[in-house]
Amino acid sequence: MAEQRLQKILAAAGVDSRRNCEELILDGVVRVNRKVVDELPAFADAEKDAITVHGKRIHAAQKVYFLLNKPKGVICSNRDPQGRKMAIDVVGTAERIFCVGRLDIETTGIIVLTNDSEMANRLTHPRYGLPKTYVVRVRGLIQGETAEKLKRGIWLAEGKTGRASVKILKRSHKESSIEITIRQGLNRQVRRMLAAVGLKVKSLKRTRIGRLSERGLGVGKFRRLSKAEVAYLKKV
Ligand code: URA
């Protein structure tokens, strides 16, 4: 593993928050290979270096990977001053996990949670463009021409969205549903794309992230990713 900021290693190992770990370092209670480190920035390799806090050895945090089918009303953030329920609390593990990317509070569907920031950074980087599939219920009848517009890309504030795959699953005057696959992860991208073509979203659910699917995972349920799934995400 590469060198990382010392406070990040300590926080990932469950010592305290990153901010408080910075204080511990400045207080001179942290040693790397027996030498006191009391200046920032400070770097270390969690796997190779012997790191202690108050003389107690810190071990590199075990990497954990979960797939959650997020219910409505749950947010993808590690702090919420409004006290809303957070995805990390639904999973409730001792490791300091976070969501890879985001689903809106009103969106349901699958999201990966992990403490592996290297993998998370790669997966959310626009360059890697992992396809994400959503099923959207919209009000009214969707026209084929509207689906074509979504496929070609939509101008949003950030620029034109990339090509999307769009499949109409159901059409009626009352409501329609489509499956849309995009490779970017702009904020509220699907909702904004649909608003731009005049469609009102009734519900939005993410059903697939690359090869990962919601299959067998009820809303509000989570599971650990298998070794093969982790290997796949690392390779993406
Ligand atoms: N697009 C949205 O609009 N919302 C989400 O939660 C995910 C993608």
Side-chain angles (χ1 to χ4, degrees), residues 102-104 107 134 188-191 204:
R102 237 165 227 257
L103 288 178
D104 306 328
T107 301
Y134 298 84
R188 296 177 72 84
Q189 181 168 339
V190 176
R191 290 177 191 276
L204 176 60

Side-chain angles (χ1 to χ4, degrees), residues 1-13 18 25 32 37 39-49 51 58-61 63 98 115-121:
M1 188 195 247
E3 291 214 321
Q4 283 184 315
R5 284 179 193 273
L6 191 49
Q7 66 271 30
K8 192 171 170 193
I9 296 173
L10 298 179
R18 270 195 216 181
I25 295 167
V32 176
V37 175
E39 276 180 16
L40 292 170
F43 298 86
D45 183 325
E47 273 158 21
K48 291 195 193 128
D49 294 323
I51 304 169
I58 299 305
H59 295 283
K63 297 285 186 271
F98 48 85
N115 55 354
D116 184 342
S117 46
E118 245 170 75
M119 183 219 258
N121 289 340

Side-chain angles (χ1 to χ4, degrees), residues 182-196:
I182 56 172
R183 287 177 174 270
Q184 297 145 298
L186 302 174
N187 188 32
R188 296 177 72 84
Q189 181 168 339
V190 176
R191 290 177 191 276
R192 288 194 291 147
M193 287 173 71
L194 292 170

